Amino acid sequence: MAYRLKECNYNNKLTKDQNLILDRLYKLRMSGMAEALENQLLDTNTRLESFETRFTDIVNFEWMQRENKKFNRLLKQATLKYPSADLDQTIYEPERQLNTHVIELLANCDWIDEPNNLLMTGGAGAGKTHLACALCITAMHQMRTVKYIRANYLLQEADHAHHESSYYEYSNKMTAYDLLVIDDFGLMNLDMEKCRDLFEIIESRDCRKSTVIIPRYLLRNGISCLEKTHMQMPASAG
């Protein structure tokens, strides 16, 4: 995707040279620095601050703007069911009966770097999907690539890729995500030909990237590549 250059609007409250500097910053694709500098030039109080303080604020504004843009791109790509999920204080509510120590360890995202896989089990309404989305957002704040997808939809996408002769590209894309969350595992159409695609993707990620499986029902035999990390959530959790 081509970068869309943000235009600089001439500000009559600034001098010609000041407008020229702002225009050059925009052309250098530093719109954050341009906006921060313009705000400083219009605020006479900033002249009381040191050059280092003012420049630091300008650079930090540019940095935060770029980080926010990266995060928004990752969030759009992730297609989370709950894009506003958060590991807030509700996880410590006694009635939820959650193992907060395990959640705090998962929030560090070290398990993604190792990489390890995660199997999240629990009754309907236990909050498995919401918690998984919150962990995804935590990972994205660390600039990791994430994808959330329901198992049945993954099978549909894989089948469509076969028909379009693009399955190799699709499989590589699904394998490359730092964290892949497959929800409603067990509700998909148990067609062995189609399910083979799902298990091939899971297998290709094992020992390379982290995968989270959220089964709709408790898997009696489990999944071999996910047995190392199993998080059981109480059925009474909201």
Side-chain angles (χ1 to χ4, degrees):
M1 181 184 296
Y3 180 88
R4 186 175 180 179
L5 195 63
K6 191 172 181 180
E7 296 182 357
C8 175
N9 295 321
Y10 193 89
N11 192 324
N12 293 322
K13 296 181 180 180
L14 302 177
T15 67
K16 182 179 178 180
D17 288 340
Q18 289 172 338
N19 277 286
L20 179 60
I21 291 296
L22 295 178
D23 182 63
R24 287 176 176 174
L25 284 173
Y26 277 108
K27 288 179 179 178
L28 287 170
R29 302 180 179 180
M30 296 180 178
S31 59
M33 294 186 71
E35 290 178 26
L37 176 59
E38 184 175 6
N39 290 333
Q40 288 189 9
L41 293 172
L42 293 173
D43 185 0
T44 56
N45 291 327
T46 58
R47 298 174 186 175
L48 302 175
E49 299 174 345
S50 67
F51 170 79
E52 182 179 356
T53 299
R54 294 175 61 184
F55 189 69
T56 299
D57 290 341
I58 291 174
V59 173
N60 286 340
F61 192 87
E62 174 72 27
W63 175 268
M64 290 303 301
Q65 189 177 80
R66 294 194 179 201
E67 291 294 294
N68 289 336
K69 287 179 179 178
K70 289 179 185 177
F71 176 79
N72 289 333
R73 286 196 296 269
L74 290 173
L75 183 61
K76 183 178 180 180
Q77 174 184 265
T79 61
L80 300 182
K81 184 175 182 178
Y82 302 112
S84 300
D86 187 22
L87 295 175
D88 54 21
Q89 294 299 315
T90 59
I91 66 172
Y92 298 100
E93 294 176 355
E95 58 269 20
R96 297 198 67 183
Q97 304 177 36
L98 298 177
N99 189 331
T100 55
H101 176 66
V102 172
I103 295 176
E104 289 170 354
L105 289 176
L106 292 173
N108 290 332
C109 295
D110 293 337
W111 60 285
I112 299 177
D113 294 328
E114 290 176 353
N116 282 321
N117 301 313
L118 177 64
L119 176 64
M120 299 181 68
T121 62
K128 302 183 297 296
T129 301
H130 188 276
L131 179 57
C133 288
L135 292 174
C136 286
I137 291 174
T138 301
M140 285 186 288
H141 277 300
Q142 299 181 17
M143 297 301 140
R144 293 178 171 88
T145 56
V146 172
K147 183 66 175 181
Y148 167 91
I149 191 168
R150 295 176 64 247
N152 197 47
Y153 191 63
L154 190 153
L155 294 181
Q156 293 175 16
E157 285 189 347
D159 186 56
H160 178 73
H162 278 297
H163 285 89
E164 296 292 323
S165 300
S166 59
Y167 177 74
Y168 179 77
E169 292 79 3
Y170 177 77
S171 176
N172 285 341
K173 181 180 73 172
M174 299 303 289
T175 302
Y177 290 112
D178 294 325
L179 179 61
L180 176 65
V181 178
I182 304 177
D183 200 357
D184 287 342
F185 191 91
L187 285 185
M188 63 278 194
N189 181 11
L190 296 178
D191 183 304
M192 292 310 298
E193 288 298 320
K194 293 182 179 180
C195 285
R196 183 179 293 115
D197 295 333
L198 171 61
F199 290 112
E200 282 180 354
I201 290 174
I202 294 175
E203 179 64 26
S204 64
R205 293 178 55 83
D206 191 32
C207 298
R208 296 178 56 197
K209 301 289 184 177
S210 293
T211 304
V212 176
I213 297 290
I214 309 176
R216 185 69 172 184
Y217 307 105
L218 184 61
L219 304 176
R220 292 184 179 180
N221 297 324
I223 303 175
S224 60
C225 65
L226 295 171
E227 289 178 349
K228 290 183 180 179
T229 312
H230 177 192
M231 181 177 181
Q232 172 72 43
M233 296 185 67
S236 58

